[in-house]
Amino acid sequence: MTTDRLAIVDASGDAATAALLADAAEALPVYAELAGVAAPEPVRASAGRDVAGCDTVLLALRLGVRATRVEELPVSYAPAGARVYALLCADDDPSIAAHALAELEERCEARGLAWMGGLAVGDAGLLPALGRQPRMGWARRRVSEALDALLIALLADRPFGERYVRPSRYARLVARRPI
């Protein structure tokens, strides 16, 4: 079974979250076709009313000093029982997202939403630069495979759990090299 409408929420609006969501938007219909299910109708949600008519939410959030607080996220407008998946971008080690994932889970439970899990991506500032590389090439493979697992869970209406990933060490070195 798949969802009818998928709210895609870029809560940070920066290049890293945009890169992850662009990757997800490209891969989601492919996985839906492979699974023989209808792809959910994507709704680019920027406000609460956009989220209100969706039964699944894919939330992208950049962690850091200027990050949106969990209580300010538009997931509060999702209807009761809506499934929530998260993509969190961190500047360094992705495990720093554990606290934010726990906060999101608590927020969802308090609002009657189904917390389905999240993917935390470390060194996320490199994602826009790595976007020029092949999706399953050496530079992007780790992140793309983890994102694909989240999308498969989303299409199956299954929990994803928590997963922490970052580009390979070699990809991090090459992407940071001055041009």
Side-chain angles (χ1 to χ4, degrees):
M1 178 179 156
T2 187
T3 60
D4 295 326
R5 296 187 62 173
L6 170 65
I8 299 173
V9 181
D10 189 346
S12 300
D14 77 353
T17 55
L20 271 180
L21 288 175
D23 196 8
E26 182 180 326
L28 189 63
V30 174
Y31 280 106
E33 185 176 333
L34 289 171
V37 299
E41 175 190 346
V43 176
R44 288 282 176 179
S46 57
R49 67 182 167 276
D50 299 330
V51 176
C54 298
D55 47 5
T56 302
V57 177
L58 178 59
L59 172 69
L61 178 65
R62 179 75 183 249
L63 300 177
V65 176
R66 294 181 300 166
T68 305
R69 294 176 11 172
V70 170
E71 44 289 340
E72 296 169 352
L73 296 172
V75 294
S76 301
Y77 294 93
R83 294 169 296 281
V84 179
Y85 296 86
L87 296 171
L88 301 182
C89 294
D91 288 329
D92 193 19
D93 184 356
S95 66
I96 66 164
H99 181 70
L101 287 170
E103 281 185 58
L104 282 169
E105 182 176 11
E106 287 176 21
R107 178 87 169 152
C108 287
E109 288 174 1
R111 297 280 184 204
L113 305 173
W115 172 247
M116 303 303 275
L119 171 63
V121 180
D123 294 304
L126 303 177
L127 294 177
L130 295 176
R132 296 184 295 268
Q133 301 296 323
R135 188 170 191 280
M136 286 298 177
W138 60 269
R140 293 178 59 190
R141 178 178 299 265
R142 285 184 184 180
V143 175
S144 293
E145 286 177 340
L147 180 60
D148 290 351
L150 184 138
L151 295 175
I152 291 166
L154 185 148
L155 286 168
D157 294 335
R158 299 281 187 201
F160 175 72
E162 292 179 10
R163 192 158 171 194
Y164 303 87
V165 68
R166 66 195 320 177
S168 71
R169 182 177 305 221
Y170 184 68
R172 294 190 312 261
L173 291 172
V174 170
R176 287 190 178 120
R177 219 177 25 192
I179 296 176

